[in-house]
Amino acid sequence: MITLVEFFCGMGGVSEAIRQFNSAHPLRRICVERAIEIDRDCGAVYQHNFGAVDCRSIDSMDLSEVATTRSEQAWWLSPPCQPYCRRGRGAPGQDRRCDAIRAITHYLSHGDRVPSVVLLENVPEFATSEDAADLVSTLHRRGYATWSGNLCPTQFGIPNLRRRHYLIARRGTAEISPPMPPPMPPPVPSTWLFTIASILDANSEFAAELLVKTSTVDAYRGAMDLIDPHDELARAACFGSGYGKSLIRSGSYVQQGGRVRHFSPVEVARLLGFSSRYVFPDRIPMRRRWKMLGNSVSVPVVKTVLEAAFDVAAPRHCTR
Ligand SMILES: C[S@@+](CC[C@H](N)C(=O)[O-])C[C@H]1O[C@@H](n2cnc3c(N)ncnc32)[C@H](O)[C@@H]1O
């Protein structure tokens, strides 16, 4: 049994990928032994779906408490990406939001007990940051082999842009096979495993809270990513944490029945690969749901990264 500590667990995209990994590979199960998250709403959503969360700041933790001597303990790190991305401030040097990943790197550098596997997901810009350089050089010095690279759900036949940087580090010298998108069945119609239309809810079409005002669409039409659900080749833009707040470059919109609407949170969750078992507690408002989803992960991509990290062959066909 592999045990995993999910740092920065947010709404639990990695736990969702682990749930799907475990059903695909029942003989090589991963057990999340601890999930850590500072935000109480995220913690409540995580707990609603997966169980207890340690709701506190990673930078104030004693990480030797987290590390065990088990032979197969993994740490998953999804630190905040805003300090590294162009739309955030993009100047991580003094940004306090980087303190937690720096504390983890410091522990990995000096700690007596370190995990056998370290995994990380972030925006592609993270790869060229000093924080990435410090983490990777620390891992090499402590005897980890590493693989890193960018992956996008579109490579997996999923009609959604979300290019992210992934790092796999495993203690020992064995080479890490890069995560490979699973071989796909003959796609229908020609590019994607499923169409945008197939993830839309019929009752979202006229939901008042999803509609964008016609005057707003008229003013911003050229800059908005509008999707015609009849277009079988359509793909959605990357949904960011500002979806529902900022109109441009935060995600796509559905053009339906002469109106333009947002994708509902459930529709975004489907695009990200969450199964129908995943649910938000009723009290979480729509804006918060979009924000959490914008900070989350593409579940099938994370599942493939886990398969590469733990040397498990991917199933022959990618399924939803
Ligand atoms: C990029 S998101 C990760 C999202 C997660 N992978 C998911 O699927 O939802 C980063 C998360 O780290 C949390 N966070 C930021 N700083 C933290 C800290 N110092 N300690 C614990 N959690 C923190 C944020 O609240 C946010 O939910």
Side-chain angles (χ1 to χ4, degrees):
M1 165 87 74
I2 305 157
T3 62
L4 183 140
V5 181
E6 191 178 349
F7 288 90
F8 312 96
C9 70
M11 62 178 277
V14 174
S15 279
E16 173 70 15
I18 289 172
R19 181 151 75 185
Q20 297 184 18
F21 175 103
N22 285 344
S23 22
H25 309 291
L27 300 179
R28 191 93 171 98
R29 293 176 69 78
I30 302 173
C31 164
V32 178
E33 64 172 278
R34 195 159 179 170
I36 308 161
E37 167 60 47
I38 197 170
D39 181 90
R40 294 203 170 275
D41 280 346
C42 287
V45 174
Y46 183 95
Q47 184 144 349
H48 193 70
N49 285 280
F50 301 110
V53 179
D54 204 347
C55 221
R56 57 176 156 156
S57 175
I58 291 160
D59 24 321
S60 61
M61 288 175 74
D62 174 1
L63 294 174
S64 64
E65 263 179 39
V66 177
T68 66
T69 46
R70 279 194 205 100
S71 59
E72 260 199 310
Q73 190 195 41
W75 286 10
W76 184 286
L77 318 173
S78 298
C81 49
Q82 289 82 0
Y84 307 101
C85 63
R86 272 171 263 138
R87 289 203 84 194
R89 273 182 288 160
Q94 302 301 317
D95 197 317
R96 297 293 315 271
R97 291 174 294 184
C98 305
D99 286 357
I101 187 67
R102 290 173 190 158
I104 292 171
T105 301
H106 184 266
Y107 178 80
L108 291 170
S109 177
H110 298 95
D112 290 335
R113 285 170 292 159
V114 289
S116 49
V117 173
V118 176
L119 303 158
L120 173 137
E121 175 265 347
N122 212 280
V123 288
E125 294 90 329
F126 175 82
T128 52
S129 69
E130 268 185 42
D131 291 324
D134 287 349
L135 175 63
V136 172
S137 63
T138 294
L139 291 167
H140 288 159
R141 193 165 44 71
R142 294 297 309 260
Y144 291 82
T146 60
W147 171 90
S148 62
N150 295 332
L151 297 168
C152 182
T154 52
Q155 296 168 261
F156 293 67
I158 298 164
N160 183 207
L161 293 172
R162 194 174 188 88
R163 201 163 155 263
R164 289 291 181 267
H165 182 73
Y166 294 88
L167 166 72
I168 301 175
R170 206 166 51 204
R171 255 185 142 192
T173 48
E175 211 176 289
I176 298 166
S177 318
M180 297 291 284
M184 288 189 281
V188 181
S190 60
T191 309
W192 308 122
L193 279 173
F194 57 93
T195 62
I196 295 285
S198 72
I199 56 107
L200 300 180
D201 280 321
N203 58 0
S204 290
E205 187 175 349
F206 301 108
E209 70 269 49
L210 294 177
L211 290 174
V212 184
K213 280 192 200 146
T214 305
S215 56
T216 308
V217 177
D218 290 343
Y220 293 97
R221 181 177 290 279
M224 291 171 78
D225 190 61
L226 302 178
I227 290 189
D228 170 2
H230 298 298
D231 177 0
E232 295 189 320
L233 297 179
R235 55 106 192 100
C238 180
F239 289 89
S241 57
Y243 193 60
K245 198 160 102 181
S246 120
L247 267 180
I248 296 163
R249 289 202 294 269
S250 58
S252 297
Y253 301 84
V254 188
Q255 210 164 12
Q256 237 171 1
R259 295 292 309 263
V260 169
R261 69 164 179 88
H262 291 84
F263 282 73
S264 72
V266 169
E267 291 165 346
V268 178
R270 285 183 194 135
L271 259 182
L272 290 177
F274 284 82
S275 70
S276 53
R277 281 178 73 183
Y278 190 94
V279 280
F280 283 97
D282 289 344
R283 73 166 181 83
I284 305 292
M286 184 132 72
R287 278 256 179 104
R288 286 292 282 147
R289 296 181 192 205
W290 277 323
K291 185 170 180 192
M292 289 180 203
L293 287 159
N295 279 331
S296 192
V297 294
S298 171
V299 172
V301 179
V302 168
K303 177 170 166 272
T304 303
V305 169
L306 293 168
E307 284 164 347
F310 299 113
D311 258 337
V312 178
R316 278 183 55 74
H317 291 308
C318 180
T319 51
R320 282 185 61 227

